[in-house]
């Protein structure tokens, strides 16, 4: 059995729209077209109560978008569910606001809805849709998140985005350093005399002078036109 929030039922198209609860992690809306033998029973369940409501799929065949003629059994024995937007109020509280009216509904602790400290920090930047149940289910699950891949998928995308941002910042910093080094090289003074080699040893003796040309010395001329 799998717990879901049944969002809507269309008897003419035998179309069932629902949201997986996944232990409170949630997911995104899915659609299944039911087989005729299943549509009658599901229709009776949906018409006998108000939607959205928590229910249980008895069949494992449901749960993938685009399934044709799905056969399933549905029990809508769970509480009603209402869609809110969740945003951090402070480090210890999450505020749930009615998405239709914009009126704050209630406040919950981050731990009670599956969030860690890093998740709470992210809620400052962007509110996430959260389905709050009228009464808790399955070991005090207060509701579930409406986000692609559930909370796990949301965290994974955040990690990927952070890694990409870090790479971009690193590459930008490297390019800036290269530009600065090239600009500095343009104005750096290079002493040409640093390239003139010096002898390994220097023999100290009296200067040869200019009075006469010794045998071990050479003389000559250069002809130059300027």
């Amino acid at each position: 059995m799998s717990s879901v929030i049944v969002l809507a039922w269309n008897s003419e198209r035998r179309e069932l729209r629902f949201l997986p609860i996944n232990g409170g992690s949630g997911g995104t809306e899915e659609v299944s077209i039911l087989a005729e033998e299943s549509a009658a029973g599901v229709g009776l369940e949906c018409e006998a109560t108000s939607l959205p409501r928590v229910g249980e799929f008895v069949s494992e065949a449901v749960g993938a978008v685009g399934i044709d003629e799905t056969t399933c059994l549905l029990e809508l024995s769970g509480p009603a569910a209402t869609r809110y937007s969740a945003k951090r109020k402070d480090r210890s509280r999450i505020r749930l606001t009615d998405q239709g009216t914009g009126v704050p509904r209630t406040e919950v602790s981050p731990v009670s809805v599956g969030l860690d400290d890093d998740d709470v920090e992210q809620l400052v930047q962007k509110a996430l849709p959260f389905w709050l149940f009228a009464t808790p289910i399955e070991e005090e699950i207060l509701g579930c998140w409406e986000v692609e891949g559930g909370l796990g998928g949301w965290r994974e995308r955040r990690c990927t985005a952070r890694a990409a941002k870090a790479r971009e910042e690193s590459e930008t910093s490297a390019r800036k350093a290269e530009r600065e080094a090239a600009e500095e090289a343009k104005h750096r003074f290079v002493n040409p005399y640093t390239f003139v080699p010096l002898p390994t040893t220097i023999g100290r003796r009296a200067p040869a002078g200019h009075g006469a040309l010794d045998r071990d010395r050479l003389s000559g001329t250069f002809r130059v036109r300027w």
Side-chain angles (χ1 to χ4, degrees):
M1 299 178 68
S2 57
S3 298
V4 298
I5 301 175
V6 177
L7 303 174
W9 164 250
N10 186 305
S11 57
E12 293 183 1
R13 294 197 295 265
R14 293 183 276 121
E15 178 183 275
L16 187 69
R17 295 194 296 114
F18 58 93
L19 185 79
I21 294 176
N22 290 331
S25 176
T28 49
E29 179 182 316
E30 299 183 18
V31 179
S32 284
I33 306 299
L34 303 188
E36 291 185 4
E37 59 269 24
S38 298
V42 170
L44 289 176
E45 282 281 323
C46 294
E47 293 166 5
T49 186
S50 59
L51 300 178
R53 182 170 294 276
V54 174
E56 296 283 345
F57 281 130
V58 183
S59 169
E60 297 181 356
V62 177
V65 176
I67 290 181
D68 294 330
E69 302 295 318
T70 298
T71 300
C72 75
L73 294 176
L74 176 66
E75 296 178 0
L76 287 177
S77 55
T82 307
R83 193 173 191 256
Y84 295 93
S85 61
K87 196 169 186 178
R88 190 187 90 170
K89 180 181 179 183
D90 53 42
R91 296 284 305 178
S92 61
R93 306 300 292 176
I94 303 297
R95 173 174 290 173
L96 301 180
T97 302
D98 190 310
Q99 290 197 333
T101 63
V103 177
R105 166 67 170 77
T106 188
E107 294 176 3
V108 295
S109 68
V111 175
S112 67
V113 290
L115 299 178
D116 58 27
D117 291 341
D118 189 48
D119 296 331
V120 175
E121 291 293 338
Q122 294 300 311
L123 286 179
V124 173
Q125 304 174 18
K126 182 179 180 181
L128 289 180
F130 183 81
W131 286 85
L132 181 67
F133 304 151
T135 56
I137 66 167
E138 299 178 25
E139 300 179 358
E140 304 302 315
I141 296 176
L142 303 182
C144 71
W145 298 90
E146 184 180 338
V147 59
E148 183 181 355
L151 284 181
W154 181 53
R155 292 186 181 112
E156 185 177 348
R157 288 191 295 276
R158 287 201 336 252
C159 289
T160 301
R162 286 174 179 171
K165 183 178 179 180
R167 286 195 301 270
E168 182 180 354
E169 290 176 349
S170 177
E171 292 171 357
T172 300
S173 178
R175 288 194 296 268
K176 181 180 178 182
E178 289 177 1
R179 290 195 300 270
E180 291 176 349
E183 189 65 24
E184 182 182 353
K186 293 178 182 179
H187 305 286
R188 185 184 301 123
F189 172 73
V190 180
N191 187 346
Y193 294 100
T194 58
F195 297 99
V196 177
L198 296 175
T200 56
T201 59
I202 298 177
R204 297 185 178 278
R205 59 183 177 272
H210 301 284
L213 185 64
D214 289 346
R215 297 181 203 177
D216 59 347
R217 308 218 177 251
L218 301 175
S219 66
T221 61
F222 286 99
R223 296 193 179 190
V224 180
R225 174 177 294 177
W226 298 95

